[in-house]
């Protein structure tokens, strides 16, 4: 989220890259930047030095950095709350349920976790990897070995193609994966990329940095992101509709009037630009239009449900993989926060199909899955069911990004400035940590540094 965070890999031994380590001190004091009166006293006939569109993790990170540099900002958010694709709900089940990103990827999100702990949030290490279940019980050693070996073989083939700059559909790079092929394709595609492998760029996958570990916030990742926004001034329910870049200033048309600034940070998903919900003029150069059109958001959803009596004696926050016999695959987050709340995780075509179906289809899918994995008696105990539908959310239009085949190199366009006035931010703009909260946060800090540079402000 940012969008729903890319789920953890089934084996930590599958890491390919050295991880980025970084520490950033986060101020807990109010962040107001330069006042509007001071800004205008210096001859700036604008509303702010920097307009930031989107108050998700990236926009919040950018606003904090702009304010810390003593510059004025206007932070616009179309929704009723901050967070973007990191939202924690407590109304559906009475306990925190992350509708989007549910884990903090380390080490990229370490500064966020440090802030949360300082604010009194309960942030703890997630269980390592995941468990594998076959026929209602944990798999034996042979099945574990076969499953992990198959995922590794598929991943190596995709990465080898990407490393050789053969940017093609990941499905084309795969060898025959044998009996565990359907399970491996689910992990490599819908589960980790929110898309089927024929819609996944080998280059994009090859550049992703594997995370060291994951942390969980008991109060919810969305709660943590909202806490990070607390020192900021955010204009909620203000939808940016058009950006006009002139040589001297930026004007942003919204549903509540026009805002002007010297620079603008666009921290919304590319899906909104592609859908025409946010227009950029006078004309967005072709390079950036291509990036918007080809770095697309996939479908990934959580189907939350109550289930008493803990089938399988599952541990709190465990991630369970299942042997798949076909394309309708899924994983399970068990006993979220130690409660009787579970979440069936679906991605790709399955998630898109359920989002297009009536709400009761998600409940039927859960019960069919539990019947298959644990038996009809377990399925009969399912209580309330609530499913996210990120591809239908009007200010997201998808879960998280993955480049289409042939366009894995286009993320670089999102790291460049446009017309000396515009900077992009968001998980989709990070070349190696796309699809993660940490990637979104770091992209916001990078965008703030770029915007400050355009203003002539030196940053360390």
């Amino acid at each position: 989220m940012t969008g729903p965070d890319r789920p953890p890999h089934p084996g930590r031994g599958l890491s390919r890259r050295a991880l980025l380590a970084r520490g950033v001190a986060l101020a807990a004091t109010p962040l107001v930047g330069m006042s509007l009166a001071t800004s205008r006293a210096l001859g700036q006939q604008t509303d702010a030095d920097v307009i930031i569109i989107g108050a998700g993790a990236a926009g919040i990170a950018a606003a904090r950095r702009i304010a810390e540099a003593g510059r004025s900002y206007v932070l616009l958010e179309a929704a009723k709350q901050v967070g973007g694709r990191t939202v924690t709900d407590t109304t559906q089940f009475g306990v925190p349920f992350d509708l989007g990103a549910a884990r903090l990827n380390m080490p990229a999100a370490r500064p966020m976790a440090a802030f949360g702990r300082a604010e009194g949030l309960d942030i703890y290490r997630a269980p390592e990897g995941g468990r594998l279940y076959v026929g209602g019980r944990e798999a034996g050693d042979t099945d574990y070995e076969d499953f992990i070996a198959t995922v590794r073989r598929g991943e190596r083939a995709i990465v080898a193609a990407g490393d050789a700059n053969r940017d093609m559909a990941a499905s084309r790079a795969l060898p025959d994966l044998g009996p565990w092929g359907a399970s491996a394709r689910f992990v490599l595609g819908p589960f980790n990329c929110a898309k089927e492998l024929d819609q996944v760029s080998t280059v994009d996958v090859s550049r992703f940095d594997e995370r060291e570990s994951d942390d969980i916030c008991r109060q919810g990742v969305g709660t943590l992101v909202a806490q990070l926004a607390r020192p900021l001034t955010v204009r909620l329910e203000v939808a940016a509709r058009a950006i006009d870049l002139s040589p001297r200033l930026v004007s942003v048309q919204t549903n509540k009037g026009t805002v002007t600034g010297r620079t603008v940070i666009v921290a919304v998903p590319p899906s909104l630009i592609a859908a025409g919900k946010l227009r950029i003029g006078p004309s967005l150069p072709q390079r950036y239009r291509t990036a918007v059109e080809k770095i697309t958001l996939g479908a990934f959803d959580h189907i939350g449900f109550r289930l008493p009596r803990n089938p399988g004696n599952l541990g709190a926050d465990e991630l369970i993989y299942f042997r798949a016999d076909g394309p309708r695959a899924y994983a399970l987050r068990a006993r979220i926060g130690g409660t009787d709340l579970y979440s069936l995780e679906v991605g790709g075509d399955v998630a898109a199909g359920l989002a297009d179906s009536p709400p009761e289809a998600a409940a039927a899918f859960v019960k069919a899955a539990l019947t298959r994995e644990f038996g009809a008696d377990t399925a009969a105990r399912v209580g309330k069911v609530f499913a996210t539908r990120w591809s239908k959310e009007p200010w997201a239009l998808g879960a998280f990004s993955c480049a289409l085949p042939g366009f894995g190199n286009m993320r670089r366009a999102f790291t460049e400035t446009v017309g000396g006035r515009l900077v992009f931010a968001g998980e989709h703009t990070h070349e190696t940590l796309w699809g993660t909260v940490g990637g979104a946060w770091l992209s916001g800090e990078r965008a703030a540094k770029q915007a400050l540079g355009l203003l002539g402000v030196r940053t360390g």
Side-chain angles (χ1 to χ4, degrees), residues 59-72:
I60 291 167
R64 291 176 67 98
R65 277 303 171 101
I66 297 297
E68 287 169 358
R71 293 292 175 154
S72 59

Side-chain angles (χ1 to χ4, degrees), residues 16-17 153-175 200-207 406 409:
R16 305 184 308 274
R17 299 279 191 263
R153 190 162 68 252
E155 183 182 48
R156 281 198 299 267
I158 294 170
V159 171
D163 284 346
N165 208 31
R166 290 188 289 123
D167 198 343
M168 59 186 183
S171 58
R172 292 181 52 205
L174 291 180
V200 170
S201 159
T202 52
V203 165
D204 215 20
V205 172
S206 71
R207 289 180 176 162
N409 291 310

Side-chain angles (χ1 to χ4, degrees), residues 30 77 189 248 278 306 319 336 365 367 395:
E77 172 54 52
R248 296 193 176 187
L278 177 60
R306 291 283 193 181
L319 181 64
I336 296 171
F365 188 88
K367 291 179 181 180
W395 304 118

Side-chain angles (χ1 to χ4, degrees), residues 122-298:
D122 183 7
I123 297 176
Y124 55 95
R125 181 62 52 85
E128 290 291 324
R131 285 208 280 173
L132 176 65
Y133 266 61
V134 178
R137 63 188 64 187
E138 186 169 8
D141 290 344
T142 300
D143 282 337
Y144 262 109
E145 291 168 2
D146 289 347
F147 172 55
I148 292 175
T150 303
V151 173
R152 281 176 173 164
R153 190 162 68 252
E155 183 182 48
R156 281 198 299 267
I158 294 170
V159 171
D163 284 346
N165 208 31
R166 290 188 289 123
D167 198 343
M168 59 186 183
S171 58
R172 292 181 52 205
L174 291 180
D176 181 3
L177 296 179
W180 285 94
S183 303
R185 284 189 290 272
F186 165 70
V187 171
L188 296 170
F191 198 57
N192 274 304
C193 299
K195 294 179 179 179
E196 304 302 323
L197 287 173
D198 62 354
Q199 297 293 303
V200 170
S201 159
T202 52
V203 165
D204 215 20
V205 172
S206 71
R207 289 180 176 162
F208 186 81
D209 273 305
E210 291 290 348
R211 51 189 155 220
E212 175 184 282
S213 61
D214 292 293
D215 279 5
I216 293 172
C217 179
R218 193 177 303 279
Q219 292 84 3
V221 172
T223 299
L224 168 59
V225 172
Q227 287 277 71
L228 285 160
R230 193 175 58 180
L232 302 170
T233 299
V234 186
R235 299 186 187 181
L236 297 174
E237 297 185 84
V238 179
R241 294 172 173 168
I243 300 171
D244 181 41
L245 302 174
S246 76
R248 296 193 176 187
L249 58 81
V250 176
S251 64
V252 177
Q253 299 173 25
T254 79
N255 60 324
K256 296 184 179 178
T258 300
V259 181
T260 59
R262 296 174 63 191
T263 61
V264 61
I265 295 175
V266 178
V268 301
S271 50
L272 300 186
I273 303 171
K277 289 197 167 190
L278 177 60
R279 301 184 303 279
I280 301 174
S283 178
L284 191 63
Q286 182 60 49
R287 174 172 171 78
Y288 307 103
R289 291 204 305 270
T290 300
V292 164
E293 294 167 358
K294 303 303 182 180
I295 309 296
T296 59
L297 270 58

